[in-house]
Amino acid sequence: MTFDRADSMPPLLVPSGSAIHPMVLDRPMLLPVLDANALLVEACSVAKRGGQQNRISALAVTCRAAPYVAAHVLGEVDEHLPRMADFFQVPETRARQVLAQQILPSIRVVDLEIRDHLSAQTRHILHVDPEMPLKYRGDPDDAPTMALAEFLAPCVIITQDSVFSRFGFAIIEWIPVTQNLLRLAGLEATAANALFVIDLALRASGAGAHRLAVLATRYPVPALAAAAGLLWWCYRNGSLGRDTWQRRVSRAGDAGKDLLELVSAAKAEHQTLTDSLLVVESPAFPTTEQLAARHLARCGRPLTPGELRDALAVRGHAVSAAQLKRDMVVHRAFVRAPGDLWTLGRPAQGQAR
């Protein structure tokens, strides 16, 4: 593996925002699936920079790009961290501290079943061509990362391992990939928040208008008197004049034009960033386990089988709550909490020594 020096890395790009309700935006999130070398490089580089914010936790902050790792990754990190710390010339204890306190709390670890490694794309990783140079051959240790990316697709694999690049599943230059994904998630978080606020405002205004209509029906005389008084006050203050309305319409038009230009620029940037990423796409016919995993990985909260059934139904997937529960019970990727609440994966914090 090859690694970038910490002092050569570009500055961390701050995301645009954190989504209040990440699923409000009806667009599939691109989840980052991290390999061991990405965690090692980021931990050592942050330790060398003096503890600045890391890119991995910044992805999680947006709530539109929760990072995931396969179960074997933490063992590889623990095994190779001394060598990586020596390469970056930082104390191993400091690198472990950064890893445990800053990076791992933002990551969830997913345990897969053997059958999850049998998909066509993962079998590419497992294929060993004796005529290929050793560093370009498929490595069985890389298969779980590929399998996890397919399990949670659409995903972006963040790695420096050349085997993913050789098969067209990832871009080796992982730092710009992470920066682009971070900016993309930030834009989507901002858009999700805007939709949430607009919906909240429409609901509030609709409820207020309904309440006023009910009061006017019950008390018509006071309502007419209040309306007449309001119109008289507006007339006396010049609010009903033609010039006043023209100025207000002109200001509203200018504000609308600026807003449209801002939205257009954001859409163009979003498309450019999307085109720059190499995405592991989901299969045409996902299994029930994959449907459940993909939604739980993105919704940001535990769900009961009934809530998960309803959420999948909104997206056109008809699966019973009983079937979802049966599949989650027998699959190691799903974790059950009291109240029959289900999440995907387990916290990575505290797993590495």
Side-chain angles (χ1 to χ4, degrees):
M1 293 186 293
T2 58
F3 304 96
D4 295 310
R5 286 289 184 182
D7 52 10
S8 67
M9 293 184 179
L12 177 62
L13 184 63
V14 179
S16 301
S18 177
I20 301 172
H21 290 286
M23 298 296 285
V24 169
L25 189 64
D26 189 18
R27 175 183 175 81
M29 300 183 196
L30 291 179
L31 298 181
V33 172
L34 298 121
D35 203 359
N37 52 33
L39 293 178
L40 288 166
V41 173
E42 189 67 2
C44 292
S45 64
V46 171
K48 187 156 188 166
R49 293 198 305 265
Q52 298 177 8
Q53 185 187 24
N54 66 87
R55 295 168 177 82
I56 296 170
S57 61
L59 284 168
V61 165
T62 67
C63 299
R64 287 285 302 183
Y68 284 85
V69 298
H72 78 290
V73 166
L74 295 184
E76 287 192 340
V77 168
D78 188 66
E79 176 184 355
H80 297 293
L81 185 58
R83 180 173 63 87
M84 197 56 52
D86 181 67
F87 176 83
F88 276 88
Q89 299 179 353
V90 296
E92 180 186 341
T93 54
R94 174 56 182 156
R96 287 190 182 277
Q97 184 181 29
V98 169
L99 190 68
Q101 297 181 3
Q102 298 185 38
I103 296 178
L104 292 185
S106 303
I107 296 174
R108 292 191 71 83
V109 181
V110 180
D111 296 277
L112 297 176
E113 301 291 342
I114 295 298
R115 61 182 177 273
D116 298 319
H117 297 77
L118 302 180
S119 60
Q121 296 184 87
T122 301
R123 287 201 298 269
H124 279 299
I125 302 298
L126 291 170
H127 176 70
V128 177
D129 186 351
E131 297 182 359
M132 293 290 295
L134 183 61
K135 67 177 182 177
Y136 293 115
R137 294 182 189 178
D139 186 347
D141 288 340
D142 298 321
T145 296
M146 187 68 231
L148 179 59
E150 291 189 83
F151 192 65
L152 301 181
C155 290
V156 176
I157 298 178
I158 298 179
T159 180
Q160 284 189 163
D161 200 319
S162 60
V163 67
F164 294 105
S165 175
R166 180 164 67 88
F167 288 114
F169 299 135
I171 301 173
I172 291 182
E173 291 79 8
W174 71 274
I175 296 173
V177 169
T178 307
Q179 296 282 40
N180 289 345
L181 185 60
L182 178 59
R183 178 60 181 166
L184 183 70
L187 288 172
E188 292 181 354
T190 302
N193 288 341
L195 290 176
F196 173 74
V197 171
I198 290 171
D199 179 70
L200 197 64
L202 290 175
R203 289 175 182 271
S205 62
H210 176 73
R211 182 62 178 169
L212 288 175
V214 171
L215 289 174
T217 302
R218 290 181 179 178
Y219 309 103
V221 175
L224 287 173
L230 179 61
L231 288 172
W232 175 252
W233 180 84
C234 292
Y235 175 76
R236 290 293 302 269
N237 287 273
S239 300
L240 299 179
R242 181 178 179 181
D243 293 340
T244 301
W245 279 102
Q246 285 180 341
R247 286 196 302 269
R248 290 178 178 175
V249 170
S250 178
R251 290 174 184 172
D254 292 340
K257 182 179 178 180
D258 293 340
L259 180 60
L260 288 175
E261 290 178 352
L262 182 63
V263 171
S264 178
K267 289 178 64 177
E269 182 182 5
H270 186 278
Q271 188 61 52
T272 300
L273 292 170
T274 302
D275 293 341
S276 72
L277 296 171
L278 196 57
V279 179
V280 177
E281 300 288 355
S282 57
F285 303 100
T287 65
T288 303
E289 297 163 344
Q290 290 172 334
L291 290 174
R294 288 164 188 174
H295 188 83
L296 289 173
R298 290 165 169 83
C299 70
R301 62 187 181 91
L303 297 177
T304 65
E307 292 171 332
L308 182 56
R309 173 204 60 205
D310 295 341
L312 292 177
V314 171
R315 287 160 176 78
H317 304 292
V319 186
S320 69
Q323 182 64 51
L324 287 168
K325 186 170 182 177
R326 283 195 297 269
D327 289 342
M328 291 189 293
V329 164
V330 298
H331 198 292
R332 296 186 299 165
F334 301 96
V335 178
R336 184 180 183 180
D340 204 21
L341 292 170
W342 293 83
T343 55
L344 181 79
R346 49 190 167 84
Q349 188 177 19
Q351 299 293 320
R353 297 188 297 272

mmCIF file of all heavy atoms in Angstrom, residues 231-257:
data_model
loop_
_atom_site.group_PDB
_atom_site.id
_atom_site.type_symbol
_atom_site.label_atom_id
_atom_site.label_comp_id
_atom_site.label_asym_id
_atom_site.label_seq_id
_atom_site.Cartn_x
_atom_site.Cartn_y
_atom_site.Cartn_z
ATOM 1 N N LEU A 231 -58.114 46.532 7.071
ATOM 2 C CA LEU A 231 -58.058 47.198 5.768
ATOM 3 C C LEU A 231 -57.939 48.717 5.925
ATOM 4 O O LEU A 231 -57.195 49.380 5.180
ATOM 5 C CB LEU A 231 -59.302 46.839 4.951
ATOM 6 C CG LEU A 231 -59.374 45.396 4.415
ATOM 7 C CD1 LEU A 231 -60.738 45.125 3.801
ATOM 8 C CD2 LEU A 231 -58.261 45.144 3.395
ATOM 9 N N TRP A 232 -58.676 49.294 6.864
ATOM 10 C CA TRP A 232 -58.593 50.739 7.110
ATOM 11 C C TRP A 232 -57.195 51.142 7.563
ATOM 12 O O TRP A 232 -56.648 52.144 7.095
ATOM 13 C CB TRP A 232 -59.642 51.145 8.135
ATOM 14 C CG TRP A 232 -59.560 52.593 8.540
ATOM 15 C CD1 TRP A 232 -59.127 53.107 9.727
ATOM 16 C CD2 TRP A 232 -59.898 53.715 7.728
ATOM 17 N NE1 TRP A 232 -59.175 54.458 9.722
ATOM 18 C CE2 TRP A 232 -59.647 54.880 8.490
ATOM 19 C CE3 TRP A 232 -60.384 53.851 6.420
ATOM 20 C CZ2 TRP A 232 -59.868 56.153 8.007
ATOM 21 C CZ3 TRP A 232 -60.616 55.125 5.950
ATOM 22 C CH2 TRP A 232 -60.355 56.259 6.723
ATOM 23 N N TRP A 233 -56.613 50.336 8.450
ATOM 24 C CA TRP A 233 -55.255 50.649 8.956
ATOM 25 C C TRP A 233 -54.249 50.577 7.800
ATOM 26 O O TRP A 233 -53.361 51.425 7.690
ATOM 27 C CB TRP A 233 -54.883 49.655 10.047
ATOM 28 C CG TRP A 233 -53.519 49.896 10.627
ATOM 29 C CD1 TRP A 233 -53.183 50.758 11.615
ATOM 30 C CD2 TRP A 233 -52.297 49.249 10.218
ATOM 31 N NE1 TRP A 233 -51.832 50.715 11.865
ATOM 32 C CE2 TRP A 233 -51.263 49.798 11.017
ATOM 33 C CE3 TRP A 233 -51.983 48.292 9.268
ATOM 34 C CZ2 TRP A 233 -49.935 49.399 10.889
ATOM 35 C CZ3 TRP A 233 -50.672 47.898 9.136
ATOM 36 C CH2 TRP A 233 -49.660 48.444 9.935
ATOM 37 N N CYS A 234 -54.356 49.573 6.941
ATOM 38 C CA CYS A 234 -53.451 49.453 5.790
ATOM 39 C C CYS A 234 -53.623 50.641 4.834
ATOM 40 O O CYS A 234 -52.645 51.165 4.291
ATOM 41 C CB CYS A 234 -53.718 48.138 5.053
ATOM 42 S SG CYS A 234 -53.262 46.648 5.977
ATOM 43 N N TYR A 235 -54.882 51.069 4.649
ATOM 44 C CA TYR A 235 -55.127 52.204 3.757
ATOM 45 C C TYR A 235 -54.515 53.486 4.315
ATOM 46 O O TYR A 235 -53.884 54.262 3.573
ATOM 47 C CB TYR A 235 -56.630 52.369 3.562
ATOM 48 C CG TYR A 235 -57.003 53.586 2.755
ATOM 49 C CD1 TYR A 235 -56.841 53.595 1.367
ATOM 50 C CD2 TYR A 235 -57.490 54.746 3.382
ATOM 51 C CE1 TYR A 235 -57.164 54.722 0.627
ATOM 52 C CE2 TYR A 235 -57.814 55.866 2.659
ATOM 53 C CZ TYR A 235 -57.645 55.858 1.284
ATOM 54 O OH TYR A 235 -57.952 56.977 0.557
ATOM 55 N N ARG A 236 -54.680 53.729 5.600
ATOM 56 C CA ARG A 236 -54.153 54.951 6.223
ATOM 57 C C ARG A 236 -52.625 54.982 6.188
ATOM 58 O O ARG A 236 -52.015 56.047 6.124
ATOM 59 C CB ARG A 236 -54.631 55.048 7.671
ATOM 60 C CG ARG A 236 -56.109 55.337 7.820
ATOM 61 C CD ARG A 236 -56.456 56.731 7.317
ATOM 62 N NE ARG A 236 -55.712 57.762 7.997
ATOM 63 C CZ ARG A 236 -56.147 58.372 9.109
ATOM 64 N NH1 ARG A 236 -57.319 58.036 9.629
ATOM 65 N NH2 ARG A 236 -55.420 59.316 9.676
ATOM 66 N N ASN A 237 -51.977 53.807 6.228
ATOM 67 C CA ASN A 237 -50.515 53.741 6.212
ATOM 68 C C ASN A 237 -49.940 53.598 4.798
ATOM 69 O O ASN A 237 -48.734 53.421 4.638
ATOM 70 C CB ASN A 237 -50.030 52.576 7.065
ATOM 71 C CG ASN A 237 -50.181 52.837 8.548
ATOM 72 O OD1 ASN A 237 -49.286 53.421 9.177
ATOM 73 N ND2 ASN A 237 -51.305 52.439 9.126
ATOM 74 N N GLY A 238 -50.784 53.661 3.796
ATOM 75 C CA GLY A 238 -50.312 53.606 2.417
ATOM 76 C C GLY A 238 -49.935 52.225 1.936
ATOM 77 O O GLY A 238 -49.309 52.093 0.867
ATOM 78 N N SER A 239 -50.318 51.199 2.681
ATOM 79 C CA SER A 239 -49.916 49.846 2.298
ATOM 80 C C SER A 239 -50.710 49.308 1.124
ATOM 81 O O SER A 239 -50.315 48.302 0.514
ATOM 82 C CB SER A 239 -50.080 48.888 3.498
ATOM 83 O OG SER A 239 -49.279 49.310 4.575
ATOM 84 N N LEU A 240 -51.830 49.936 0.798
ATOM 85 C CA LEU A 240 -52.658 49.465 -0.302
ATOM 86 C C LEU A 240 -52.448 50.256 -1.578
ATOM 87 O O LEU A 240 -53.111 49.988 -2.587
ATOM 88 C CB LEU A 240 -54.141 49.519 0.100
ATOM 89 C CG LEU A 240 -54.537 48.656 1.302
ATOM 90 C CD1 LEU A 240 -56.017 48.823 1.601
ATOM 91 C CD2 LEU A 240 -54.201 47.191 1.051
ATOM 92 N N GLY A 241 -51.531 51.215 -1.546
ATOM 93 C CA GLY A 241 -51.282 52.026 -2.726
ATOM 94 C C GLY A 241 -50.622 51.244 -3.843
ATOM 95 O O GLY A 241 -49.922 50.238 -3.620
ATOM 96 N N ARG A 242 -50.816 51.722 -5.073
ATOM 97 C CA ARG A 242 -50.271 51.037 -6.243
ATOM 98 C C ARG A 242 -48.753 51.026 -6.232
ATOM 99 O O ARG A 242 -48.132 49.997 -6.528
ATOM 100 C CB ARG A 242 -50.788 51.725 -7.502
ATOM 101 C CG ARG A 242 -50.297 51.088 -8.792
ATOM 102 C CD ARG A 242 -50.884 51.793 -9.991
ATOM 103 N NE ARG A 242 -50.403 51.208 -11.225
ATOM 104 C CZ ARG A 242 -50.742 51.639 -12.430
ATOM 105 N NH1 ARG A 242 -51.591 52.674 -12.563
ATOM 106 N NH2 ARG A 242 -50.258 51.045 -13.508
ATOM 107 N N ASP A 243 -48.136 52.158 -5.886
ATOM 108 C CA ASP A 243 -46.672 52.237 -5.857
ATOM 109 C C ASP A 243 -46.081 51.282 -4.831
ATOM 110 O O ASP A 243 -45.048 50.643 -5.073
ATOM 111 C CB ASP A 243 -46.231 53.674 -5.559
ATOM 112 C CG ASP A 243 -46.585 54.638 -6.676
ATOM 113 O OD1 ASP A 243 -46.819 54.159 -7.813
ATOM 114 O OD2 ASP A 243 -46.631 55.844 -6.407
ATOM 115 N N THR A 244 -46.737 51.194 -3.697
ATOM 116 C CA THR A 244 -46.253 50.289 -2.642
ATOM 117 C C THR A 244 -46.273 48.846 -3.113
ATOM 118 O O THR A 244 -45.310 48.086 -2.919
ATOM 119 C CB THR A 244 -47.121 50.435 -1.379
ATOM 120 O OG1 THR A 244 -47.076 51.790 -0.924
ATOM 121 C CG2 THR A 244 -46.629 49.507 -0.276
ATOM 122 N N TRP A 245 -47.360 48.434 -3.762
ATOM 123 C CA TRP A 245 -47.456 47.062 -4.258
ATOM 124 C C TRP A 245 -46.441 46.791 -5.360
ATOM 125 O O TRP A 245 -45.859 45.701 -5.426
ATOM 126 C CB TRP A 245 -48.866 46.795 -4.763
ATOM 127 C CG TRP A 245 -49.824 46.466 -3.665
ATOM 128 C CD1 TRP A 245 -50.760 47.273 -3.101
ATOM 129 C CD2 TRP A 245 -49.892 45.215 -2.962
ATOM 130 N NE1 TRP A 245 -51.428 46.619 -2.093
ATOM 131 C CE2 TRP A 245 -50.915 45.339 -1.988
ATOM 132 C CE3 TRP A 245 -49.198 44.012 -3.062
ATOM 133 C CZ2 TRP A 245 -51.251 44.309 -1.129
ATOM 134 C CZ3 TRP A 245 -49.539 42.981 -2.195
ATOM 135 C CH2 TRP A 245 -50.559 43.131 -1.247
ATOM 136 N N GLN A 246 -46.211 47.781 -6.210
ATOM 137 C CA GLN A 246 -45.217 47.586 -7.271
ATOM 138 C C GLN A 246 -43.822 47.382 -6.691
ATOM 139 O O GLN A 246 -43.055 46.544 -7.173
ATOM 140 C CB GLN A 246 -45.241 48.795 -8.220
ATOM 141 C CG GLN A 246 -46.435 48.830 -9.160
ATOM 142 C CD GLN A 246 -46.429 50.034 -10.065
ATOM 143 O OE1 GLN A 246 -45.742 51.036 -9.793
ATOM 144 N NE2 GLN A 246 -47.184 49.964 -11.162
ATOM 145 N N ARG A 247 -43.487 48.182 -5.671
ATOM 146 C CA ARG A 247 -42.160 48.021 -5.039
ATOM 147 C C ARG A 247 -42.025 46.648 -4.394
ATOM 148 O O ARG A 247 -40.975 46.002 -4.492
ATOM 149 C CB ARG A 247 -41.950 49.118 -3.997
ATOM 150 C CG ARG A 247 -41.679 50.497 -4.575
ATOM 151 C CD ARG A 247 -41.107 51.426 -3.514
ATOM 152 N NE ARG A 247 -42.007 51.547 -2.376
ATOM 153 C CZ ARG A 247 -42.956 52.485 -2.263
ATOM 154 N NH1 ARG A 247 -43.155 53.343 -3.260
ATOM 155 N NH2 ARG A 247 -43.718 52.538 -1.191
ATOM 156 N N ARG A 248 -43.081 46.203 -3.726
ATOM 157 C CA ARG A 248 -43.020 44.909 -3.051
ATOM 158 C C ARG A 248 -42.929 43.753 -4.058
ATOM 159 O O ARG A 248 -42.189 42.788 -3.840
ATOM 160 C CB ARG A 248 -44.243 44.735 -2.158
ATOM 161 C CG ARG A 248 -44.210 45.657 -0.939
ATOM 162 C CD ARG A 248 -45.447 45.507 -0.094
ATOM 163 N NE ARG A 248 -45.366 46.366 1.087
ATOM 164 C CZ ARG A 248 -46.360 46.521 1.961
ATOM 165 N NH1 ARG A 248 -47.495 45.858 1.778
ATOM 166 N NH2 ARG A 248 -46.204 47.312 3.002
ATOM 167 N N VAL A 249 -43.690 43.870 -5.133
ATOM 168 C CA VAL A 249 -43.617 42.832 -6.160
ATOM 169 C C VAL A 249 -42.237 42.803 -6.801
ATOM 170 O O VAL A 249 -41.673 41.734 -7.079
ATOM 171 C CB VAL A 249 -44.717 43.052 -7.220
ATOM 172 C CG1 VAL A 249 -44.499 42.138 -8.419
ATOM 173 C CG2 VAL A 249 -46.104 42.832 -6.627
ATOM 174 N N SER A 250 -41.647 43.995 -7.026
ATOM 175 C CA SER A 250 -40.316 44.062 -7.611
ATOM 176 C C SER A 250 -39.274 43.443 -6.685
ATOM 177 O O SER A 250 -38.398 42.692 -7.130
ATOM 178 C CB SER A 250 -39.949 45.517 -7.908
ATOM 179 O OG SER A 250 -38.643 45.606 -8.426
ATOM 180 N N ARG A 251 -39.374 43.739 -5.373
ATOM 181 C CA ARG A 251 -38.427 43.162 -4.414
ATOM 182 C C ARG A 251 -38.588 41.642 -4.337
ATOM 183 O O ARG A 251 -37.594 40.903 -4.264
ATOM 184 C CB ARG A 251 -38.654 43.781 -3.041
ATOM 185 C CG ARG A 251 -38.234 45.243 -2.936
ATOM 186 C CD ARG A 251 -38.625 45.821 -1.599
ATOM 187 N NE ARG A 251 -38.313 47.231 -1.504
ATOM 188 C CZ ARG A 251 -38.683 48.016 -0.491
ATOM 189 N NH1 ARG A 251 -39.377 47.499 0.525
ATOM 190 N NH2 ARG A 251 -38.361 49.300 -0.481
ATOM 191 N N ALA A 252 -39.836 41.192 -4.350
ATOM 192 C CA ALA A 252 -40.070 39.749 -4.310
ATOM 193 C C ALA A 252 -39.512 39.077 -5.562
ATOM 194 O O ALA A 252 -38.939 37.975 -5.498
ATOM 195 C CB ALA A 252 -41.561 39.463 -4.178
ATOM 196 N N GLY A 253 -39.675 39.749 -6.712
ATOM 197 C CA GLY A 253 -39.130 39.194 -7.948
ATOM 198 C C GLY A 253 -37.614 39.102 -7.916
ATOM 199 O O GLY A 253 -37.039 38.098 -8.345
ATOM 200 N N ASP A 254 -36.941 40.144 -7.391
ATOM 201 C CA ASP A 254 -35.482 40.121 -7.291
ATOM 202 C C ASP A 254 -35.015 39.018 -6.347
ATOM 203 O O ASP A 254 -34.037 38.313 -6.635
ATOM 204 C CB ASP A 254 -34.973 41.478 -6.797
ATOM 205 C CG ASP A 254 -35.192 42.584 -7.827
ATOM 206 O OD1 ASP A 254 -35.363 42.254 -9.016
ATOM 207 O OD2 ASP A 254 -35.193 43.767 -7.431
ATOM 208 N N ALA A 255 -35.733 38.892 -5.203
ATOM 209 C CA ALA A 255 -35.354 37.847 -4.245
ATOM 210 C C ALA A 255 -35.560 36.458 -4.860
ATOM 211 O O ALA A 255 -34.729 35.557 -4.682
ATOM 212 C CB ALA A 255 -36.180 37.987 -2.973
ATOM 213 N N GLY A 256 -36.658 36.286 -5.598
ATOM 214 C CA GLY A 256 -36.906 35.009 -6.245
ATOM 215 C C GLY A 256 -35.859 34.683 -7.293
ATOM 216 O O GLY A 256 -35.438 33.532 -7.427
ATOM 217 N N LYS A 257 -35.420 35.705 -8.036
ATOM 218 C CA LYS A 257 -34.395 35.496 -9.056
ATOM 219 C C LYS A 257 -33.079 35.065 -8.420
ATOM 220 O O LYS A 257 -32.410 34.140 -8.901
ATOM 221 C CB LYS A 257 -34.201 36.780 -9.857
ATOM 222 C CG LYS A 257 -33.191 36.659 -10.977
ATOM 223 C CD LYS A 257 -33.061 37.968 -11.742
ATOM 224 C CE LYS A 257 -32.012 37.855 -12.850
ATOM 225 N NZ LYS A 257 -31.870 39.130 -13.594
#
